[in-house]
């Protein structure tokens, strides 16, 4: 315990130190970050400004976009600033806060994807009761529940992780304070905690996956029974977008938290984490907008209104 360094700064090794082309990688990350911020912000703006998009499905999509903006903002700005300034230190309180935020937002997103699957199940399998089963109050309760359940993950894992004694090298082989990467620095026996964390993560993934699997099993049966080819096509297009997001997000999370340590290496962990913390938030708005007629129509309408407004300003001047 004499070498306990829990209250000192950690050093984030980061993505760029592992690359031979750090400058190019930095530019790529900046572009993806700006794409994620702009894409999700535009999607939120469209959903809240266009009355045609004031439905439960788009309400959930707007919440997903909000989570994605917060998720990418927790890790990437710090990583980019470290690369620009050449300082890769992060204090223990900052590390704990970053850990808490990404656990909370990530956990909330797991449950939100399950809520979105349930929404599609009700819309396709019980269309006549949709307005009752997915009322505004029910949607607010579901989203609130997602945030609360996500915060349980953050409140549970962060204090335990950050109170372990860290008496090895203070270099975190990662670009942010992810729990497994921080745990490797502890000089105490963490095997029991790792088992509990594994069980917690299995539960956090298992409940939403069960809801999603059940919802889509019923949806596929209903689509198969549909007589209208147009109805089948529309239902499948909506659900396939959601399934693409689920596979991207859950696949990376399952690798990071559920595979045995023998499958992991710092380099692999960083690549997978970069995939779901940087790339997925940028892909989500593209998946939901490019494959969605309602969103593309709302975007065209907004662009036309902006164009008319600019022309009227020029005319007045």
């Amino acid at each position: 315990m004499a070498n306990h360094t829990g209250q000192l700064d950690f050093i984030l090794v980061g993505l760029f130190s592992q690359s031979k082309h750090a400058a190019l990688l930095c530019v790529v990350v900046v572009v993806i970050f700006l794409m994620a911020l702009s894409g999700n912000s535009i999607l939120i703006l469209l959903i809240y400004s266009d009355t045609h998009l004031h439905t439960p499905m788009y309400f959930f999509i707007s919440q997903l976009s909000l989570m994605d903006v917060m998720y990418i903002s927790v890790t990437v700005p710090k990583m980019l600033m470290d690369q620009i300034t050449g300082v890769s230190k992060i204090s223990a309180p900052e590390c704990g806060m970053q850990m808490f935020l990404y656990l909370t937002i990530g956990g909330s997103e797991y449950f939100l994807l399950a809520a979105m699957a349930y929404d599609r199940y009700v819309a396709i399998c019980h269309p006549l009761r949709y307005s009752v089963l997915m009322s505004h109050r029910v949607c607010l309760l579901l989203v609130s529940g997602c945030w609360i359940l996500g915060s349980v993950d953050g409140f549970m894992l962060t204090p335990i992780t950050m109170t372990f004694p860290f008496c090895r090298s203070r270099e975190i082989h990662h670009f942010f304070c992810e729990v497994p990467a921080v745990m490797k620095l502890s000089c105490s026996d963490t095997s029991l905690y790792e088992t509990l964390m594994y069980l917690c993560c299995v539960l956090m993934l298992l409940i939403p996956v069960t809801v999603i699997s059940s919802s889509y099993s019923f949806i596929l049966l209903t689509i198969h029974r549909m007589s209208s080819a147009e109805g089948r096509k529309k239902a499948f297009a909506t659900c396939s977008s959601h399934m693409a997001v689920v596979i991207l997000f859950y696949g990376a999370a399952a690798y990071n938290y559920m595979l045995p340590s023998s499958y992991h290496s710092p380099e692999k962990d960083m690549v997978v984490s970069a995939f779901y913390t940087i790339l997925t938030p940028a892909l989500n708005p593209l998946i939901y907008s490019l494959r969605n007629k309602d969103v593309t129509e709302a975007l065209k309408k907004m662009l036309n209104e902006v164009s008319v407004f600019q022309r009227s300003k020029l005319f007045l001047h």
Side-chain angles (χ1 to χ4, degrees):
M1 293 295 288
N3 292 328
H4 182 5
T5 59
Q7 297 306 311
L8 299 178
D9 291 343
F10 294 105
I11 298 164
L12 292 166
V13 172
L15 272 177
F16 304 118
S17 63
Q18 307 293 308
S19 173
K20 293 176 183 176
H21 308 284
L24 179 62
L25 183 60
C26 186
V27 171
V28 170
V29 171
V30 169
V31 170
I32 294 171
F33 177 64
L34 293 175
M35 278 176 60
L37 285 188
S38 56
N40 284 294
S41 300
I42 289 168
L43 198 52
I44 292 167
L45 181 65
L46 283 175
I47 289 166
Y48 280 95
S49 62
D50 196 310
T51 52
H52 292 102
L53 302 180
H54 290 179
T55 63
M57 183 179 82
Y58 293 110
F59 173 66
F60 288 129
I61 290 173
S62 70
Q63 286 294 309
L64 181 69
S65 288
L66 177 64
M67 288 177 185
D68 281 340
V69 167
M70 293 171 70
Y71 202 51
I72 199 168
S73 299
V74 166
T75 56
V76 173
K78 166 69 179 163
M79 180 176 68
L80 294 173
M81 283 302 296
D82 287 352
Q83 177 64 15
I84 293 164
T85 60
V87 178
S88 301
K89 288 183 178 180
I90 184 168
S91 68
E94 287 173 338
C95 187
M97 181 55 68
Q98 191 181 60
M99 187 182 292
F100 170 76
L101 289 172
Y102 96 79
L103 284 170
T104 297
I105 299 162
S108 301
E109 196 157 328
Y110 296 147
F111 289 104
L112 183 69
L113 291 171
M116 291 171 77
Y118 173 71
D119 169 66
R120 291 299 82 210
Y121 158 72
V122 176
I124 293 166
C125 301
H126 302 284
L128 299 177
R129 297 174 62 201
Y130 184 71
S131 59
V132 177
L133 292 173
M134 295 304 296
S135 65
H136 186 62
R137 183 172 173 272
V138 171
C139 293
L140 287 174
L141 284 171
L142 282 171
V143 167
S144 301
C146 292
W147 280 107
I148 291 164
L149 289 167
S151 66
V152 168
D153 197 31
F155 278 118
M156 190 163 56
L157 296 182
T158 306
I160 301 171
T161 304
M162 295 309 294
T163 49
F164 274 105
F166 302 107
C167 47
R168 294 178 188 168
S169 164
R170 289 181 292 113
E171 286 190 351
I172 300 172
H173 288 271
H174 217 297
F175 60 91
F176 68 101
C177 290
E178 191 164 42
V179 174
V182 174
M183 288 306 301
K184 287 175 184 174
L185 307 183
S186 177
C187 53
S188 59
D189 182 18
T190 60
S191 55
L192 178 62
Y193 173 58
E194 284 173 19
T195 305
L196 289 170
M197 184 176 70
Y198 174 79
L199 292 171
C200 172
C201 293
V202 167
L203 195 64
M204 285 285 288
L205 290 172
L206 194 62
I207 294 170
V209 165
T210 303
V211 173
I212 291 166
S213 304
S214 303
S215 296
Y216 279 102
S217 298
F218 288 116
I219 286 168
L220 288 171
L221 282 170
T222 306
I223 290 173
H224 181 68
R225 291 174 190 155
M226 280 181 181
S227 55
S228 166
E230 186 63 31
R232 279 202 301 269
K233 186 181 175 183
K234 188 178 178 182
F236 188 76
T238 305
C239 296
S240 60
S241 297
H242 183 243
M243 281 308 296
V245 173
V246 168
I247 291 164
L248 285 171
F249 199 73
Y250 278 82
Y255 169 86
N256 262 16
Y257 291 97
M258 293 175 71
L259 285 182
S261 56
S262 56
Y263 287 86
H264 291 261
S265 71
E267 291 76 21
K268 279 183 187 176
D269 289 353
M270 271 196 278
V271 170
V272 173
S273 294
F275 185 80
Y276 77 85
T277 58
I278 302 172
L279 198 58
T280 303
L283 289 174
N284 283 355
L286 294 175
I287 290 168
Y288 280 113
S289 61
L290 293 177
R291 301 195 61 186
N292 194 304
K293 190 180 175 182
D294 293 334
V295 174
T296 51
E297 287 296 322
L299 183 59
K300 285 176 188 174
K301 184 181 171 185
M302 188 178 78
L303 291 173
N304 286 336
E305 286 173 358
V306 170
S307 177
V308 169
F309 178 71
Q310 286 179 336
R311 281 201 298 268
S312 64
K313 275 183 74 178
L314 286 169
F315 178 75
L316 289 168
H317 283 297

